[in-house]
Amino acid sequence: MPFRLFRAAYLLCAIIVMSLFGPFKAQAQFTLGGYSNSHYAGIHGVPNNPASAAGTHYKWDVNIAGINAAAGNTYIRFPRSILLHPPDSLESLKKNRDYFLDTTGSGKQFGWGNIDLMMPSVLYSIDELQSVAFTWRVRAMANGGNVTTEVANFFAQDFPNPSFAKRRYDMEIANGSFHWWNEFGFTYARVLKDDGSNVLKGGVTLKLLSGVAAGYAQVDNATFMMNSRTSGEINDGTLKVGYSEGIANWERPNASNYKVFGNMGLGMDIGVTYEWRETMDGLTGYDDSQWNPEADDYRLRLGVSITDLGGITYKKAPNVTDLDLRTTDVNPDDLRLRKGESWQQYYRRIQTYFTPVASAEKFRMNTPAALNLTADYNIDGRFFVNAGGRIALNAGKYDPSKTYVVSYFQVTPRYDSRYIGGYLPLSVNRNGQFDAGLGLRLGPLVIGSSTMLSNLFQKNKNRLDGFIALRIIPIKRGEGKLGCPAAQF
């Protein structure tokens, strides 16, 4: 029963996120494994480490448009066929046909989704030492979970199911959050030291943020029991809720909700990279003002950055309060989402069953701060091995008004030449899920997925992602055939 309230929280995220992501058919940080840490990433490497903008191969680099989207969970799997033939609505999904539950899992269950649109953006190298960049991104992210499998089964298996009656259930924490925001980033990066063998670079991105919509819900310390199909009790628990007027006044089509300047905030990325070079050459600058041939002459490159520091403050929609969930008798059917009922209507109805608790009129939704670590080894100038990790800095379970990345570790063998690149990311995330993907860079086009190969061999799937971007880079003519390493190095 309180899980139905958690579900209200989750619906606050899930319904909006699914509707937002629906047009893309697949549902972060702007990144593709191996490529984003490549010396050819240019403007696409800036969101992951602003120091990568200094001493890049390109004198200038323009992103026309790019999208990175991902979605996943640990509890529900979907057959491959549903990707090609998605259902018309969530209500039409049938258990054990359209989805399958992990009813025996021993850990807690989580779900996530994010989408990152890079709008027209540009990087410009002032000289071999310093660069500037402007990035414009539109981002949305949702997180939910911290639910034990036992509680998830209680509500996912034909709730209210009499076979689960007469048992006590405890829910220490369960939460969901959603955030949609716009950001303009202004980057400055420079070579701090270059003695020929050692190159140290630093960079910072200052961000102007504007919030479009945000919301969260969290159930704290709930204890409950279903006595029968028509009666249950909640002995303890609090529901914390907050959502912005942007969500309260949601319109169709979804894109009509986007406003460039709304709730304002500030953010920052900061990073450094170190390169060790076997030969005493250093960075020699740009050939014909377009190309820096020494950008990949390192044998080993190390990088560390902290991204997405910051947040946005929102005013809660009117009459949004926390709720004291304690009650001696409640009908579980009253807590079900009714057919045709919006999540706002559902929340207002739920308010009538419980005791309102005063809460602040504003809430702050952070951006998904993360620590990024990378090591890149140059085998022979064409073949590289990259190892990296991303660690969420604000994934603590007790703060309801947050969005956060899913921490992971990744190793990516890659082939990189001037106009062609191939990437094979192998990763494992904080939930122990392993993925193998594939990425390609063909001149100005980059496309790939960090889950593509693993999904090809899985009958049922619970996560997927995709990356595609189109850019303009300096291309010289008459230097040999495309893809010939001898002509490109």
Side-chain angles (χ1 to χ4, degrees), residues 267-383:
M268 182 176 70
D269 303 338
I270 187 169
V272 295
T273 63
Y274 165 78
E275 298 174 3
W276 172 62
R277 298 165 179 252
E278 290 182 312
T279 58
M280 297 286 290
D281 54 4
L283 297 172
T284 59
Y286 292 88
D287 178 16
D288 293 337
S289 300
Q290 291 186 340
W291 180 254
N292 177 4
E294 311 297 336
D296 59 352
D297 277 359
Y298 61 86
R299 178 62 66 181
L300 176 67
R301 182 174 65 184
L302 305 175
V304 58
S305 66
I306 297 178
T307 53
D308 288 323
L309 294 170
I312 302 171
T313 298
Y314 292 87
K315 183 178 180 180
K316 288 183 181 178
N319 303 316
V320 175
T321 65
D322 295 348
L323 298 176
D324 184 336
L325 301 178
R326 289 175 295 179
T327 182
T328 57
D329 187 21
V330 62
N331 188 334
D333 278 327
D334 287 341
L335 302 181
R336 297 168 65 96
L337 183 69
R338 296 171 180 172
K339 185 175 181 180
E341 188 175 38
S342 72
W343 65 266
Q344 289 175 291
Q345 293 170 330
Y346 176 70
Y347 169 70
R348 291 172 187 143
R349 181 168 57 83
I350 289 296
Q351 281 183 306
T352 65
Y353 302 145
F354 302 103
T355 304
V357 177
S359 59
E361 295 182 354
K362 295 181 179 181
F363 66 96
R364 178 177 172 82
M365 186 68 76
N366 65 270
T367 46
L371 172 66
N372 306 277
L373 304 171
T374 184
D376 202 50
Y377 183 73
N378 184 341
I379 298 174
D380 67 358
R382 292 174 297 176
F383 293 95

Side-chain angles (χ1 to χ4, degrees), residues 57-347:
H57 267 312
Y58 306 114
K59 177 70 175 179
W60 53 268
D61 183 5
V62 176
N63 174 76
I64 299 176
I67 180 173
N68 179 203
N73 80 100
T74 58
Y75 186 59
I76 306 173
R77 289 182 176 271
F78 299 91
R80 186 180 303 151
S81 59
I82 206 171
L83 299 178
L84 300 177
H85 306 286
D88 294 330
S89 66
L90 296 177
E91 290 77 12
S92 65
L93 292 174
K94 300 296 183 182
K95 188 175 64 174
N96 297 327
R97 184 196 71 181
D98 301 316
Y99 67 94
F100 307 90
L101 305 178
D102 178 16
T103 59
T104 61
S106 58
K108 291 188 175 182
Q109 305 294 349
F110 296 88
W112 60 90
N114 59 74
I115 188 167
D116 190 339
L117 297 172
M118 182 178 275
M119 308 298 281
S121 304
V122 61
L123 181 152
Y124 178 75
S125 297
I126 299 172
D127 52 36
E128 67 270 20
L129 295 180
Q130 53 188 340
S131 301
V132 292
F134 167 77
T135 51
W136 174 18
R137 298 161 69 192
V138 181
R139 305 170 66 182
M141 179 174 287
N143 303 97
N146 280 312
V147 181
T148 65
T149 302
E150 180 184 38
V151 171
N153 291 341
F154 179 84
F155 293 100
Q157 298 193 72
D158 305 318
F159 174 82
N161 189 332
S163 64
F164 290 97
K166 303 299 182 181
R167 301 185 209 170
R168 170 176 165 155
Y169 292 87
D170 297 313
M171 186 187 300
E172 178 189 8
I173 204 89
N175 50 32
S177 62
F178 169 77
H179 197 190
W180 180 10
W181 74 101
N182 182 83
E183 65 181 47
F184 296 108
F186 304 88
T187 302
Y188 176 77
R190 115 170 247 115
V191 176
L192 303 175
K193 176 184 178 180
D194 180 3
D195 62 12
S197 292
N198 303 282
V199 178
L200 180 66
K201 306 174 184 178
V204 62
T205 299
L206 300 179
K207 300 178 179 180
L208 180 63
L209 310 175
S210 62
V212 179
Y216 69 89
Q218 177 168 297
V219 174
D220 285 350
N221 300 312
T223 301
F224 57 96
M225 177 184 293
M226 184 171 70
N227 299 316
S228 68
R229 187 179 178 87
T230 59
S231 177
E233 60 185 76
I234 304 175
N235 305 118
D236 203 0
T238 302
L239 174 65
K240 299 177 181 178
V241 178
Y243 58 86
S244 68
E245 292 183 339
I247 289 182
N249 301 319
W250 195 264
E251 299 175 355
R252 301 288 181 180
N254 297 321
S256 64
N257 297 280
Y258 175 71
K259 304 293 187 295
V260 176
F261 298 106
N263 302 278
M264 304 305 295
L266 297 175
M268 182 176 70
D269 303 338
I270 187 169
V272 295
T273 63
Y274 165 78
E275 298 174 3
W276 172 62
R277 298 165 179 252
E278 290 182 312
T279 58
M280 297 286 290
D281 54 4
L283 297 172
T284 59
Y286 292 88
D287 178 16
D288 293 337
S289 300
Q290 291 186 340
W291 180 254
N292 177 4
E294 311 297 336
D296 59 352
D297 277 359
Y298 61 86
R299 178 62 66 181
L300 176 67
R301 182 174 65 184
L302 305 175
V304 58
S305 66
I306 297 178
T307 53
D308 288 323
L309 294 170
I312 302 171
T313 298
Y314 292 87
K315 183 178 180 180
K316 288 183 181 178
N319 303 316
V320 175
T321 65
D322 295 348
L323 298 176
D324 184 336
L325 301 178
R326 289 175 295 179
T327 182
T328 57
D329 187 21
V330 62
N331 188 334
D333 278 327
D334 287 341
L335 302 181
R336 297 168 65 96
L337 183 69
R338 296 171 180 172
K339 185 175 181 180
E341 188 175 38
S342 72
W343 65 266
Q344 289 175 291
Q345 293 170 330
Y346 176 70
Y347 169 70

